[in-house]
Amino acid sequence: MIVTRSWLNEWVDLNNISTDELVKTFNSIGLEVDSVSTYNVPKKILFGKVLDCKKHPDADKLNVCQVDIGTSVRQIVCGASNVRAGLDVVVATIGAVMPSGLTIKPVKLRGVESEGMICSAKEIGLEDIYDGIIELDGSIGSYTLGEEVSENPIFGDDIIEIELTANRGDCLSIRGIARDLCAAYDKSLKEEKKDENDDKRVGIGRILALSHENNLNVNLRYKAVDLKELNLPFIVRLRLAQIENSRESDIESLMHYATHSSGVILRAYDHNFFCSKNEMLAKLSLAQDENGYASIMTKENKKASTVGIIQEDESKAKDEKGIVLIEASYIPPDIISKKMQESKMIAGPMYYRTSRGSEPDLDIGLCYCVGILESNSASSVFGGTIELGDSHEDKIISVSKKEIDEIIGANIDKAKITKILKNLGFDTTKSSANNFVVSVPRFRHDISNKQDIVEEIVRLVGIDNIPSKPFSFTEENRLKDDYFTYKKKRDYRHKAAFSGFFESVHFVFDEKRVLEQYGFETVDESKELLNPIVNTLDTLRSTLLTGLLKAASNNSKNGYSSVKLFEIGSVFNPQREESMRMAVLFSGDRELESLSNAGKPSKVDFGFFTQKISNIIGEFELREFKTAHSLSHPFQSAKIIIGGESVGELFRLHPDVEESYDLDVTYMCELDFSKLPSGLKTAKNSSRYQASYRDLSLVMPKDMGYDKVKGVIEESSVEHLIRFYPVDKYSDESLGQNMSFTIRFVLQSIDKTLEEEDITKSMQTILDALKENLGIGIR
């Protein structure tokens, strides 16, 4: 949003406020300043008046002018097409250094002396607004001939560009910005209501009639002007150039200027567009078009404009004479934006304003526009207006003084709060001693709750003026079970990927025949799918294993010698009750061919796969186990135990199944995902003293399981024993039905370095327990 200091000053008194202070105020109240630029018209450039203008005797395109510059009359040769006697102009006198670097000197042009230069706007550093020299008028305020141009506030203006957030549609006008400044400086907004003397004018009802459909949520107001000799004032042309907006005709330019200044959406229509042949009465109708938009139509159902979006070129007032209908319109931004999303159409330059929220007080824009017209033309205005208004109830928000103080974190004086809200246009007349009942003005579309009201108070008080306090987090924890389930799933997916496995995702459907073939339970017949997608997906899956097998088979057939896959997904029991599982598959080579393995990598084995699973889910135990399904190898399957609880199974795929799926050596694992550990790790004390290692080679029956030995050692509660694990197994003829089984023990104290006596005592305790409970001892 581009504003100038002089333009703002038309709406709010800024005479005692510097531009630097103005910029600081903008930033403090949430209107972030993007850039500031200032005009610097050079010295020795004066206001002058062309007293006489004659053709140059030797040049058709040059004129010899006598120019009054206050202290004297200078002869200046000028080539501008619009120079003429009686015109007030800007004159660069001898010695002036122009912005381009040119120094003005006395010269002879085709034999005629010239003492200065009559300037165009571009030549003195302004935006280019004419195809010729500047034509001054009363719009720049009072000035005297010979006065330095740089002393005039219009020629020494500051241009400020403000970066608005999308919700501040109320600030998309000079008046809207000024309204916020009034609240910041506790000033009154300048409002000029024009006395129209309608009794002496021809009534608008003689030339205009408006019909309408109901419930279109549109406000319209019309004035009519018999346009004659319109000449846009210099200040209007300059400011339109400053905001980089101009239109094809002067009347259109004036509409845009008045819209940018007042915030009211204004359009100018050719009166004849709405008149039937040989009629003076223009008949307008407001109706829905074929796409549901509120549109202005002629009697013959020809569209003139879509309210808030675009005006048809044919209906625009193009000539600078004749009867013109000036329309002020308002449509709620949420309605027009929603409609545009439902049924998009080409939008005109005013759509951005209407979709963000334009000014709903239409009379302000009309009076402002008509005032400029009457002051700068010989036009006559028709008396009265024709208007259409929708029903509107102000939004009421109730907030207590206590709530305001708690949200801000400081005690703000009630009188100060009342003044801020009043200056911003909010009505607080129904408030009580400790409760504010705030009526939100219609132009503040962004205000919808008490937090918005408090934000308005904070930005006007100034965030730097609120004393800081230590942060206190009192909000309820909003992290629910769904979030932690998602986080757990994400963590395990990442762990599997980091361990070299690729995620495979399948439908929750499977082939019932395959599940039954391998001994998996299936959904009860009464709860089966009524309309399967295809015959191979005719039931809800009860395991992830068959899906991974199919994916691995496809990879193997495509030439991959090593296939590593995982999936986390839902499975269903016979009652269609859903649960989450995780499955992992490793088939073929452990690694890629390389120099280190001489191009012959080893195949995956039970121990290697078990270590891979440990990398994903952490520490666990394996116990002897026979699976309920027939996918597993009869002698290579185990139950996975974590914290004494079974969480899943791990096995090698049966060789017959490997062959049927064209797979190499393959290992699989399926886990109950809900039983896998998650959450924060608990830190434990770690000893700074050296650990000691001791090996015991036990003679034990070949058919004795390690879990029995492990259980006896754990129950013996040996002091200083940190962990133990098997490292070797050996048998020969001399041992008969027995074997030698070596276990390594790690002992460490939290208080000291263990002495040999301590270690011997601990190992003896273990041996005594094994002898007593299992009848085994060392070799």
Side-chain angles (χ1 to χ4, degrees), residues 15 27 56 84 101-102 125 140 152 212 275 278 306 392 407 443 451-452 586 637 661 705 744 751 761 766:
N15 291 327
N27 288 326
H56 191 289
R84 58 190 181 274
L102 173 69
I140 66 170
N152 187 282
H212 61 88
C275 295
N278 299 324
T306 305
H392 168 72
I407 295 173
F443 59 80
Q451 286 78 10
D452 293 331
F586 198 136
S637 61
Y661 280 93
R744 179 162 294 165
D751 303 316
K761 182 180 177 181
I766 295 170

Side-chain angles (χ1 to χ4, degrees), residues 468-653:
S468 58
K469 288 184 178 180
F471 177 70
S472 175
F473 188 80
T474 57
E475 185 179 5
E476 179 187 355
N477 185 0
R478 299 180 185 273
L479 300 180
K480 304 298 182 183
D481 291 343
D482 288 345
Y483 168 77
F484 291 109
T485 301
Y486 155 76
K487 185 177 183 300
K488 178 181 177 180
K489 185 176 179 182
R490 182 196 65 185
D491 291 345
Y492 275 96
R493 289 175 64 239
H494 288 177
K495 288 177 182 179
F498 294 155
S499 298
F501 292 87
F502 295 89
E503 185 170 16
S504 183
V505 180
H506 303 91
F507 289 116
V508 294
F509 307 112
D510 207 339
E511 188 173 1
K512 189 170 186 175
R513 179 189 61 80
V514 174
L515 292 174
E516 291 175 340
Q517 176 187 347
Y518 292 113
F520 291 100
E521 61 182 10
T522 57
V523 174
D524 286 349
E525 201 67 38
S526 61
K527 298 188 177 182
E528 272 292 7
L529 302 177
L530 295 178
N531 252 331
I533 302 172
V534 291
N535 291 335
T536 54
L537 297 173
D538 58 354
T539 189
L540 291 169
R541 65 184 178 184
S542 57
T543 179
L544 304 179
L545 298 175
T546 53
L548 282 187
L549 274 177
K550 294 172 188 174
S553 178
N554 290 334
N555 277 268
S556 178
K557 290 173 182 177
N558 284 328
Y560 290 95
S561 59
S562 178
V563 180
K564 294 172 281 187
L565 302 174
F566 79 93
E567 181 175 7
I568 301 174
S570 296
V571 297
F572 300 84
N573 69 11
Q575 302 306 313
R576 291 184 70 162
E577 294 170 341
E578 184 178 0
S579 60
M580 187 77 70
R581 291 191 191 173
M582 179 177 187
V584 185
L585 176 147
F586 198 136
S587 179
D589 296 341
R590 289 188 183 186
E591 57 193 8
L592 298 176
E593 297 177 356
S594 64
L595 287 173
S596 62
N597 56 39
K600 297 179 180 179
S602 302
K603 302 296 181 183
V604 61
D605 57 30
F606 195 92
F608 184 79
F609 183 65
T610 301
Q611 182 59 54
K612 283 290 187 181
I613 299 301
S614 179
N615 293 343
I616 298 172
I617 68 173
E619 186 178 351
F620 62 85
E621 299 175 27
L622 291 178
R623 291 185 186 171
E624 187 176 349
F625 175 69
K626 184 174 179 63
T627 62
H629 55 79
S630 59
L631 286 180
S632 64
H633 193 291
F635 306 115
Q636 294 190 52
S637 61
K639 182 188 298 183
I640 296 176
I641 307 295
I642 298 178
E645 183 180 18
S646 174
V647 301
E649 59 187 26
L650 181 151
F651 58 88
R652 179 185 167 180
L653 200 61

